Amino acid sequence: MKISISIFQTADTAPVQELARYLEDANYDALYFCEHTHQSLRFAAQAPTLEPRFRETFDPFVAAQAAASVTERLRVGSAVTLLAQHEPIAMAKRLATLDRVIGGRLDVGVGAGWIEDEMRRHGVDPRRRNARLTEHATAIKALWSGLPTTVSSEHVSFEDVVVLPTPLQNPDPPIYVGGAGPRALDRVRAFGDGWMPDYGSVEPAQLFARIGELRALEAELGRSVPVVVMGVPHEAAVIEALDEAGVDQIATLAPSVGLAELREFLAPYERSVGSALGVSTEV
C-alpha cells in the first residue's frame, strides 16, 4: 500500500519544494494539495467559522508543479480540486500541460465542494453541483483525446473543440472521485478512474462496506478501481485494516505549518505505517 499526505498549502506552510523533497527522501509516494479559490467574509454565513487555511490555500496545480520540479518520483496533484467550479476546456488544457511538464506524475482528485457561497460565486447551483462535476469531468476526459470533441449536456456545451497537448500519461492522468456519500460510486461508474473517500466522513463500517461495493463494481466495469483513503488516523490498527481491505493508498491531512512542525506531526503517522506495513519512512 502506498503512503501520501494532503495539505492546505499556504504562505505560512513549509515551502512546497522543501516539503516535497522531504517526502521523497522519506519514501512517500504522493503529495496532494487541497483547493478553495476564495472566501467571502462579508456575505458567507459559513466563512467566520472556517480556519484561515480555507481562504489562504494555494492553487493546487501551481503547487503541484513546484513540488514536481524538485523531485523525481513523487506523484503530485489535488485532493481535491472543486472541478464543478472550473470551466472544462481551460481545465483540460491546464491539466494536460501540467502532466507533460512534470513527466506524467499527475493525479487529479475531484469533488463537488460544500461551501455554498463559494459555488455560487463560480456560477454553480449548489443543488446541481454533483451533476455539474460529472459533466465537467466527462468533458475533460473526452477532450484529452486530442480529437474534435462535441459535448451537449445541462452544464457543458461545445462543438468540434480540439485541445492539445494531450496528457503524457497513457491512459490519461487518473481522476479520483472524492467523497464517501451514497452516490460517490455512481460517479466512479460515470467517470472515475479511482475513488478518494475521506476516512472521517463516514463510519468505518460504512467505509469498509462501500469498499466491498466497489469491488463488485469493478467486476461490472471490467477494470480495477484504485482506492486512496484520505484523512487516515495515525493508528497502526486502522492502517492495517485498510491494507487488508485492499486499499491502494492512504493519506494523512497535514497541518499548514512549517517543516519542523510538519515532521513532528508526521512522525506518529510514519511509525504507524511502519508498524502496520513494515515500510520505512526514515530520511
Side-chain angles (χ1 to χ4, degrees), residues 70 82 100 102 118 129 135 163 189 203 231 281:
V70 295
L82 305 177
R100 288 269 170 186
I102 68 174
E118 181 178 11
R129 64 185 184 273
E135 291 176 30
V163 170
R189 179 184 286 106
E203 291 296 323
T281 54

Side-chain angles (χ1 to χ4, degrees), residues 180 196-205 207-208 211 228-235 237-239 241-242 247 250-251:
M196 190 177 266
D198 184 85
Y199 187 86
S201 65
V202 294
E203 291 296 323
L207 175 63
F208 285 104
I211 291 172
V228 181
V229 178
M230 311 303 293
V232 171
H234 302 174
E235 300 173 19
V238 171
I239 294 170
L242 292 169
V247 169
I250 57 172

Side-chain angles (χ1 to χ4, degrees), residues 236-258:
V238 171
I239 294 170
E240 186 172 358
L242 292 169
D243 185 46
E244 291 175 353
V247 169
D248 299 87
Q249 183 170 311
I250 57 172
T252 184
L253 176 59
S256 303
V257 294

Side-chain angles (χ1 to χ4, degrees), residues 84-192:
Q85 298 175 182
H86 292 281
E87 192 280 314
I89 297 175
M91 185 59 92
K93 165 80 80 171
R94 180 183 183 188
L95 296 176
T97 302
L98 177 58
D99 194 55
R100 288 269 170 186
V101 168
I102 68 174
R105 288 187 277 150
L106 178 64
D107 293 337
V108 185
V110 303
W114 60 277
I115 302 175
E116 293 188 1
D117 178 78
E118 181 178 11
M119 299 175 205
R120 290 193 177 97
R121 289 173 188 276
H122 286 285
V124 177
D125 180 349
R127 297 168 299 178
R128 299 295 295 156
R129 64 185 184 273
N130 284 308
R132 188 164 184 145
L133 168 65
T134 296
E135 291 176 30
H136 283 202
T138 302
I140 287 168
K141 290 173 75 75
L143 288 164
W144 279 345
S145 70
L147 300 174
T149 300
T150 297
V151 175
S152 179
S153 60
E154 179 183 355
H155 301 101
V156 181
S157 180
F158 55 77
E159 185 175 359
D160 290 336
V161 170
V162 176
V163 170
L164 294 170
T166 58
L168 182 61
Q169 291 184 75
N170 184 19
D172 301 323
I175 295 181
Y176 290 89
V177 175
R183 302 298 299 275
L185 297 189
D186 291 341
R187 290 186 283 281
V188 171
R189 179 184 286 106
F191 67 83

Side-chain angles (χ1 to χ4, degrees), residues 257-277:
V257 294
L259 187 59
E261 293 173 273
L262 273 170
R263 293 183 66 167
E264 289 182 11
F265 170 83
L266 292 173
Y269 177 55
E270 295 167 1
R271 287 194 296 269
S272 295
V273 166
S275 176
L277 307 178

